[in-house]
Amino acid sequence: MIPVKFDYLAPTSVEEALAALGEHGDEAKILAGGQSLLPVLRMRLNAPEVVIDLGGISSLRGIRDDGDAIVIGAMTTHHDVRDHALVHEHALLLSKAAAEVADAQIRHRGTFGGALAHADPAGDLGAPALALGAQFVIQGPGGSRTVEAADFFVDLFETAIGEDEILTEVRIPKHTGWGAHYEKFVRVAHQWPIVAVAATVKGSIDEARVGLTNMGSTPLRASATEAALAGATATEEGVREAAELAAEGTNPPSDLNGAADYRQHLARVLTARAVLKAAGA
Amino acid sequence: MTATQDRPAAEIGKDRRRKEDQRLITGRTRWTDNITLPGMLHLAMVRSPFAHASITSVDVEAAKASPNVVAVLSGKDFGAELGVCINAWPITPDQKTPNHSPMPADRVAFAGEIVAVVVARSAAEARDAAELVDVEYDELPAVIGIKNALKDEVLAHPDLGTNKSALWVFDSNEVGTGSDVEAAIETARTDGIVIEREYRQQRLIPAFMEPRSVVVDPTGEQITMWSATQIPHILRFALAATTGVPESKIRVIAPDVGGGFGGKLQTTPEEWIAWAVARRLSKPVKYTETRSESLMAAHHGRDQVQTLTLAADKDGKVTGLKVHLDADLGAYIAVVGGGVPVLGAFMFNAIYKFPSYRFECQTVLTNTTFTDAYRGAGRPEATYAIERLMDELAAEVGVDPLEIRERNWITHEEFPFTTVAGLEYDTGNYEAATAKARESFGYDALRAEQKERRDRGDRVQLGIGVSTFTEMCGLAPSRVLGSLDYGAGGWEHASVRMLATGKVEIVTGASAHGQGHETAFSQIVADRLGVPFEDVEVLHGDTQIAHKGLDTYGSRSLVVGGEALVRAVDKVIDKAKHLAAHLLEASEDDLEYKGGRFTVAGTDQGVAIQELATAAFAAHNYPEDMEPSLDADATYDPVNFNYPHGTHLCAMEVDTETGAVKMRKYTCCDDIGVIINPLIVAGQVHGGLVQGIAQALWEEAVHDDAGTLVSGSFVDYLLPTSADTISFDVVHTDEPSVCTTNTLGTKGVGEAGTIASTPAVVNAVVDAIRHLGINDIQMPCTPERVWRAIQGSKAGGATETPPDAMPHFAEGEANQQSHEGALDQDGAGQ
Ligand SMILES: Cc1cc2nc3c(=O)[nH]c(=O)nc-3n(C[C@H](O)[C@H](O)[C@H](O)COP(=O)(O)OP(=O)(O)OC[C@H]3O[C@@H](n4cnc5c(N)ncnc54)[C@H](O)[C@@H]3O)c2cc1C
């Protein structure tokens, strides 16, 4: 498959990339790992005149400790997120979810920032980011701003990133020592989730954060479940009862892999499983 | 000369690594798409987004003005030289067959049908310009789905007056191979068991690895077509028959071909268009499809509704089987389209002694991609139906599914056995295969675990599925094909060329596309001729080299092509013997042939066949009554099909909370006669199993009501990978029942795994949850279907899930807004 012809730019700094973005406006598209953008171009569902590759901007790559948070550069690959010691220690949930993205080849190419900016409602990283209260650092012509996870995901494939802006890094508040599990439900291994549940819990259980993947047009929090779990004991019965609330307020799609009511059922079952595993129960 | 004594005692039975794999796996070889000819032009197709529409106008001006575009042609620009796509197997004399133009000028009948072709200097420019072709359509009502088609309210081809193409019937009572099935059912209704079921064979997509590609070079005396095809010989014949070019002016080459599974057993609109364009422009052209095009417009497989009635006595001895198939041909009757379900007619009775049998097949036309052969072609569908029914019968009688089969199967003493469908099975030993499979599987332990989980009410239930299959393969005795009105024979041809240096070239009319013929055929020749394996070269797939042949499909290459080869080799040995006697000044009667050498009995005098090849080349000294050549040809027409069989056992775990299914163990014991290369056989069995399991669990081509293929990418058409399957337990019977109708004693294995595995898996899934009141899950057994069946809301887990794709690559989503050209002209681009 052959995309429509485009110009290719490879800036070496964020400033240069922003300038190119400013110059070409909505005729330009940012290229991160290309794992979502290239299929779209090759299927000719989109045809930007200019593609701006962030691959040459080394400052966008890597993970660092920043006091009460860890900071993940937008161009850090899924593979690196999965394996990084800081992620293991302070945001285990992200490591678990990154491990479930697609297959090894795609994890070595696809990026954390690219996946979140792409905002596929079935993407595996949105729900954990939301559950962990991630903060998105977005840079534009006028400088940097930080957007809370709850405000970042706007709709299907739509985020708070403006047309002239770039997502540079994501701050993840430390959840040191929290148990975590990402329960992904698929029919074949390399698939996007039909439904997935991201759960991370402190103790057993002082506090719980539960994110839902593919249960609406954006990642969602299972707030009612979280409330019911806070201060509860991690017994199978108790968790299952709390998980019964997981589908409240969700609006999942219906497609070849399942109708909405089935997805809601899955959300409840998978929430119980994810929380129990996260709590080590 | 190589010392023939040094070679291993026997090649046959040896785990030879495939000699073709180095080049196939590294890609350092000639695939059609990497053929580049001087001045070559590239084609892009403009395809209809509508399932049924009149073409009101085709505006090609903008496309013509696009950079480096040489021509833009639509249906009305061609005359008779475009030819037609043929149906080589009209199943009844009154079959309704729509005219199938490679590029219709007036009306399209499925989404993906070609309406125009762009010719440009590069593939990218052709594709860019294809988006600028502005086609106006008047949409017509489309008929999608077998049941809608049968109503004859909306017609796929209004001029035919009906969607019903042909009704093909076999009745054992009429033919004299059995009694009256209606009487058997009647009796069973009052005094026995009647099982009535409707099973759905969902539509599948062959999904070969290498997309289809064609290159045509019209320069030179013969017009040459390279095509990623399974059938270069049939292709050449069809081009000659339909485009007015004499056969002698056509050369077809199937270079290395990356898989087919029946999906490249076709003569395609794309080939015909490339042919016509190259001839029109007098320039070489190339067309390679995209994966999206391949999924949408290369032929699909299966797609049947099976209405089944099984009658048995109270002990579960079957007294009759009645089968009614409704089979979806799609929009046109492809090369063997209607014949595929008919092939199943001979296999519904499987390994059993049924006293009465009736089979009807109603083919219907719909506004969908045309269907044709897909691995197993007719036989997986039949095997699925009967093996599902036998499990249902066992449940009804209350005995183990293996027991119910034993009560009905042909025992090994009863061979040769003429079945109720009229075939003569030469050999088989179902008892031996079942005993071995049962042991290797650990049947009793798994049954005990199943009971334990059931008693405990475990969330995860275990089920065991059985499939004791047989198949007819080695297509096919030409007279049988003639009696079925098939348009060709089923023989195969081989040549052996003894080269001057003693090396050997063999030429086969079979056309390998991943099977490993070069290795297996070399092993056969090495043993039979007595030359080293390394000295044998296998040539195929080029009509200038392999001038006669009927290609590769239907598990035929070894059992038919291999036999032709054996016969050609034997002729070479006969000629060589004559020459040897002359040179050794001995009588032919005193010569012994062993290990590639003729020796004079009782002396140390002898000569190697490779030396004789050199002597024949030099031709300085040879008998008066012989030509100076050892080369020989043979054309072999099989006298019967052959009948591999096997017992497949599958254990599936079903998560009753989510409906998810997981394979726990899979054992198959296949009896395929003599095995030439166990490694190749294992590869065929493993790959075949995965394809059959994929039908049971994952794959389904879905069209929406408008006729758009929803499962149009691998995001939604779920092809499994190695991560989704387990390591299979593949065993064979200790004493194979050797095929009696060919010299080597071999039976086909190319389709066995696919044919056997689908019912084993579904039987296991159903078995896991039968105690919850479930007796069917529709394929593919998605978690949702299983869950719904457990909920009891819908029989068979049927769902009304909207036929929608996941939105990853949906048009017009925020992150992938449409662009000018691609989408705003009635979807004329893709
Ligand atoms: C076969 C396959 C299977 C997959 N399966 C899964 C799966 O199971 N789970 C899953 O979560 N994902 C899956 N993916 C998607 C994968 O995770 C992608 O890597 C990810 O969605 C996009 O990341 P990327 O770096 O490749 O971004 P790209 O494809 O390069 O870009 C994606 C989009 O984001 C924009 N963008 C990228 N970076 C930035 C930035 N810094 N600032 C602003 N905009 C930006 C781009 O312009 C583009 O629109 C799969 C992909 C494929 C091809």
Side-chain angles (χ1 to χ4, degrees):
Chain A
M1 290 194 258
I2 306 167
V4 174
K5 212 167 167 174
F6 55 79
D7 281 338
Y8 172 82
L9 300 179
T12 52
S13 70
V14 174
E15 290 66 32
E16 212 184 308
L18 284 171
L21 205 50
E23 183 184 340
H24 298 284
D26 62 1
E27 298 300 350
K29 205 81 181 110
I30 285 178
L31 173 70
Q35 298 305 294
S36 294
L37 184 63
L38 288 191
V40 166
L41 298 190
R42 287 160 67 101
M43 293 169 111
R44 297 191 167 221
L45 295 167
N46 201 340
E49 283 174 13
V50 181
V51 167
I52 303 169
D53 185 355
L54 302 185
I57 308 177
S58 51
S59 63
L60 291 178
R61 219 174 277 270
I63 300 173
R64 64 173 203 275
D65 195 324
D66 191 26
D68 58 354
I70 60 169
V71 179
I72 303 178
M75 290 296 290
T76 311
T77 64
H78 303 317
H79 175 80
D80 289 346
V81 170
R82 186 191 73 170
D83 282 357
H84 204 281
L86 284 174
V87 179
H88 273 253
E89 194 180 344
H90 304 297
L92 184 59
L93 182 58
L94 274 186
S95 168
K96 299 245 173 172
E100 296 291 322
V101 172
D103 57 40
Q105 283 166 305
I106 291 166
R107 288 195 294 271
H108 275 87
R109 282 251 153 224
T111 67
F112 190 61
L116 293 168
H118 189 56
D120 187 326
D124 284 306
L125 298 169
L130 181 67
L132 290 170
Q135 297 167 321
F136 294 77
V137 181
I138 299 170
Q139 200 169 323
S144 258
R145 62 192 179 104
T146 299
V147 176
E148 295 296 326
D151 304 320
F152 180 78
F153 298 105
V154 176
D155 204 347
L156 216 60
F157 300 106
E158 228 182 304
T159 68
I161 306 171
E163 238 163 39
D164 53 355
E165 294 180 315
I166 291 173
L167 174 67
T168 53
E169 55 190 34
V170 183
R171 294 171 57 84
I172 312 285
K174 284 184 179 171
H175 287 68
T176 315
W178 286 47
H181 186 75
Y182 189 67
E183 183 82 15
K184 177 170 173 174
F185 192 82
V186 288
R187 289 175 57 205
V188 294
H190 58 278
Q191 209 184 0
W192 275 272
I194 296 169
V195 174
V197 177
T200 189
V201 301
K202 188 174 168 190
S204 181
I205 297 172
D206 303 330
E207 203 184 335
R209 304 289 193 90
V210 179
L212 305 174
T213 306
N214 214 13
M215 287 299 292
S217 55
T218 63
L220 297 173
R221 287 272 287 271
S223 314
T225 298
E226 290 178 358
L229 286 171
T233 325
T235 61
E236 164 124 23
E237 232 167 86
V239 170
R240 278 178 176 271
E241 205 176 306
E244 279 304 305
L245 308 171
E248 270 185 17
T250 61
N251 184 20
S254 282
D255 59 39
L256 288 178
N257 289 301
D261 65 327
Y262 175 61
R263 280 195 159 93
Q264 290 186 322
H265 166 75
L266 283 180
R268 290 187 282 264
V269 174
L270 303 179
T271 295
R273 293 183 186 180
V275 170
L276 285 167
K277 284 184 190 154
Chain B
M1 232 41 15
T2 321
T4 49
Q5 291 86 338
D6 292 343
R7 61 176 207 87
E11 281 291 339
I12 290 179
K14 201 171 154 191
D15 266 340
R16 273 272 181 200
R17 294 274 175 105
R18 304 193 335 168
K19 59 173 163 179
E20 49 272 69
D21 279 353
Q22 169 79 16
R23 68 170 203 274
L24 295 181
I25 291 171
T26 59
R28 288 179 179 275
T29 186
R30 185 166 275 203
W31 307 106
T32 303
D33 187 53
N34 57 29
I35 291 169
T36 301
L37 301 173
M40 189 162 81
L41 300 174
H42 297 262
L43 309 185
M45 304 296 173
V46 178
R47 294 176 184 273
S48 167
F50 299 113
H52 199 188
S54 301
I55 302 167
T56 53
S57 73
V58 183
D59 180 351
V60 301
E61 288 317 310
K64 269 189 176 157
S66 195
N68 281 322
V69 168
V70 175
V72 184
L73 300 162
S74 68
K76 63 179 174 11
D77 297 319
F78 290 100
E81 81 283 5
L82 183 59
V84 294
C85 295
I86 56 163
N87 166 233
W89 192 347
I91 57 173
T92 62
D94 61 351
Q95 169 179 291
K96 294 239 178 352
T97 309
N99 179 50
H100 186 187
S101 169
M103 191 192 286
D106 52 347
R107 186 176 60 92
V108 289
F110 72 95
E113 187 157 23
I114 300 165
V115 293
V117 57
V118 176
V119 191
R121 298 206 187 280
S122 74
E125 286 160 329
R127 199 150 287 282
D128 285 346
E131 294 193 344
L132 302 175
V133 176
D134 192 359
V135 186
E136 271 180 33
Y137 299 92
D138 249 352
E139 225 184 317
L140 298 167
V143 59
I144 310 297
I146 291 170
K147 296 203 169 171
N148 290 330
L150 285 168
K151 287 185 211 153
D152 261 348
E153 285 163 6
V154 177
L155 299 183
H157 296 279
D159 53 316
L160 292 181
T162 176
N163 296 318
K164 294 179 184 142
S165 175
L167 177 68
W168 192 94
V169 179
F170 175 93
D171 191 311
S172 65
N173 195 34
E174 287 162 20
V175 180
T177 51
S179 49
D180 180 13
V181 77
E182 295 298 346
I185 294 168
E186 219 38 58
T187 309
R189 280 200 201 283
T190 53
D191 192 26
I193 297 166
V194 178
I195 294 180
E196 291 172 291
R197 292 284 188 279
E198 181 184 294
Y199 292 139
R200 173 97 177 93
Q201 293 286 328
Q202 78 270 34
R203 185 179 274 243
L204 301 178
I205 303 180
F208 30 74
M209 193 178 287
E210 177 207 19
R212 296 173 307 158
S213 180
V214 56
V215 169
V216 180
D217 182 1
T219 62
E221 264 318 295
Q222 283 189 321
I223 307 177
T224 304
M225 174 183 280
W226 287 262
S227 183
T229 181
Q230 293 175 228
I231 52 164
H233 296 92
I234 294 172
L235 175 53
R236 181 198 202 195
F237 174 84
L239 282 171
T242 69
T243 70
V245 180
E247 191 179 355
S248 52
K249 292 287 184 193
I250 303 174
R251 176 184 185 187
V252 173
I253 302 173
D256 277 329
V257 175
F261 311 115
K264 290 175 183 163
L265 196 190
Q266 195 56 262
T267 48
T268 68
E270 291 83 355
E271 288 166 335
W272 261 240
I273 291 167
W275 180 258
V277 171
R279 290 179 68 208
R280 158 95 49 120
L281 303 178
S282 300
K283 288 258 194 182
V285 303
K286 172 153 76 185
Y287 169 73
T288 300
E289 68 184 354
T290 65
R291 180 61 70 180
S292 310
E293 288 179 293
S294 190
L295 293 173
M296 179 169 56
H299 77 239
H300 294 171
R302 313 274 193 268
D303 210 346
Q304 301 179 355
V305 174
Q306 308 174 312
T307 308
L308 307 156
T309 313
L310 185 79
D313 68 18
K314 284 190 178 125
D315 297 327
K317 215 166 155 28
V318 175
T319 53
L321 173 65
K322 191 169 83 167
V323 175
H324 179 88
L325 296 188
D326 293 301
D328 192 342
L329 298 168
Y332 298 104
I333 312 185
V335 71
V336 290
V340 167
V342 166
L343 267 183
F346 305 98
M347 280 292 116
F348 276 88
N349 52 297
I351 64 169
Y352 308 112
K353 294 179 285 189
F354 293 167
S356 67
Y357 173 52
R358 182 180 167 86
F359 171 93
E360 301 166 356
C361 173
Q362 173 70 59
T363 53
V364 300
L365 294 154
T366 60
N367 294 113
T368 57
T369 308
F370 48 84
T371 61
D372 206 319
Y374 174 54
R375 204 167 187 175
R379 292 154 291 162
E381 297 93 317
T383 304
Y384 180 84
I386 188 59
E387 290 305 297
R388 285 284 296 111
L389 287 176
M390 293 309 272
D391 263 34
E392 294 303 302
L393 179 61
E396 194 75 27
V397 179
V399 299
D400 189 282
L402 286 172
E403 166 69 26
I404 209 77
R405 286 169 172 81
E406 198 172 337
R407 288 182 193 176
N408 287 285
W409 71 34
I410 304 158
T411 64
H412 69 276
E413 301 96 352
E414 289 173 295
F415 290 94
F417 185 90
T418 302
T419 72
V420 74
L423 294 181
E424 191 190 274
Y425 294 179
D426 59 341
T427 56
N429 190 337
Y430 310 138
E431 299 94 320
T434 301
K436 180 127 185 206
R438 194 186 164 115
E439 188 200 322
S440 190
F441 186 66
Y443 191 82
D444 296 334
L446 283 164
R447 279 280 179 222
E449 181 186 330
Q450 175 182 40
K451 180 170 184 312
E452 186 270 324
R453 282 182 191 251
R454 215 168 262 194
D455 292 346
R456 185 154 52 88
D458 193 10
R459 177 171 65 75
V460 179
Q461 290 290 317
L462 185 69
I464 295 171
V466 176
S467 168
T468 48
F469 88 106
T470 188
E471 58 152 325
M472 56 198 274
C473 63
L475 303 185
S478 299
R479 287 186 197 88
V480 174
L481 292 178
S483 73
L484 292 171
D485 301 311
Y486 178 64
W491 46 263
E492 195 45 88
H493 186 79
S495 310
V496 178
R497 300 176 184 161
M498 300 301 294
L499 303 181
T501 55
K503 307 289 184 197
V504 184
E505 278 178 351
I506 64 164
V507 182
T508 173
S511 193
H513 41 281
Q515 288 87 348
H517 294 169
E518 291 171 35
T519 302
F521 285 15
S522 297
Q523 288 178 276
I524 294 168
V525 172
D527 266 6
R528 201 146 183 105
L529 201 56
V531 299
F533 174 84
E534 293 75 16
D535 285 0
V536 184
E537 205 59 47
V538 180
L539 310 178
H540 60 85
D542 178 346
T543 60
Q544 261 186 10
I545 295 167
H547 69 292
K548 264 172 97 82
L550 283 169
D551 310 319
T552 287
Y553 43 85
S555 301
R556 69 187 305 273
S557 297
L558 174 61
V559 292
V560 186
E563 180 66 13
L565 183 58
V566 164
R567 291 176 182 221
V569 166
D570 288 354
K571 289 184 190 174
V572 170
I573 295 170
D574 280 347
K575 289 188 189 182
K577 190 174 197 178
H578 196 52
L579 180 59
H582 175 80
L583 293 177
L584 294 168
E585 295 175 352
S587 153
E588 277 185 52
D589 296 339
D590 294 335
L591 291 188
E592 267 176 21
Y593 189 60
K594 212 176 144 216
R597 267 182 89 76
F598 290 97
T599 49
V600 184
T603 74
D604 58 0
Q605 274 191 303
V607 60
I609 196 158
Q610 295 186 297
E611 291 165 340
L612 292 167
T614 309
F617 166 74
H620 296 160
N621 182 10
Y622 62 98
E624 295 278 329
D625 60 353
M626 124 175 235
E627 295 173 5
S629 168
L630 302 183
D631 297 352
D633 285 7
T635 305
Y636 171 68
D637 193 12
V639 294
N640 192 355
F641 299 94
N642 60 80
Y643 305 96
H645 68 83
T647 297
H648 289 226
L649 299 172
C650 173
M652 295 293 295
E653 292 176 356
V654 176
D655 181 335
T656 55
E657 242 174 22
T658 61
V661 301
K662 191 171 149 213
M663 190 170 285
R664 166 80 172 274
K665 173 133 200 181
Y666 196 103
T667 296
C668 60
C669 179
D670 291 329
D671 183 342
I672 53 164
V674 172
I675 293 174
I676 304 297
N677 182 324
L679 196 61
I680 291 179
V681 164
Q684 288 292 326
V685 172
H686 279 255
L689 289 176
V690 174
Q691 272 179 315
I693 293 165
Q695 174 172 13
L697 300 182
W698 298 302
E699 294 182 31
E700 181 171 27
V702 181
H703 290 91
D704 65 15
D705 293 342
T708 305
L709 180 68
V710 176
S711 49
S713 85
F714 286 142
V715 170
D716 295 291
Y717 190 81
L718 294 190
L719 217 54
T721 66
S722 55
D724 301 301
T725 53
I726 61 172
S727 193
F728 307 121
D729 175 29
V730 176
V731 297
H732 298 280
T733 46
D734 301 324
E735 307 240 333
S737 39
V738 170
C739 176
T740 59
T741 55
N742 64 47
T743 309
L744 296 169
T746 56
K747 302 179 182 181
V749 72
E751 297 159 296
T754 310
I755 292 171
S757 57
T758 312
V761 175
V762 178
N763 278 339
V765 172
V766 172
D767 186 54
I769 50 179
R770 192 182 286 282
H771 63 294
L772 303 175
I774 289 153
N775 66 22
D776 191 28
I777 304 285
Q778 193 182 309
M779 292 191 291
C781 301
T782 63
E784 182 180 23
R785 284 187 177 136
V786 174
W787 178 74
R788 286 199 195 279
I790 294 171
Q791 299 309 299
S793 59
K794 302 251 169 57
T799 68
E800 275 142 39
T801 305
D804 289 322
M806 293 267 235
H808 313 292
F809 302 118
E811 290 167 1
E813 294 297 356
N815 215 0
Q816 44 206 46
Q817 64 269 47
S818 69
H819 68 102
E820 294 293 311
L823 298 165
D824 63 358
Q825 19 172 329
D826 301 339
Q830 314 89 55

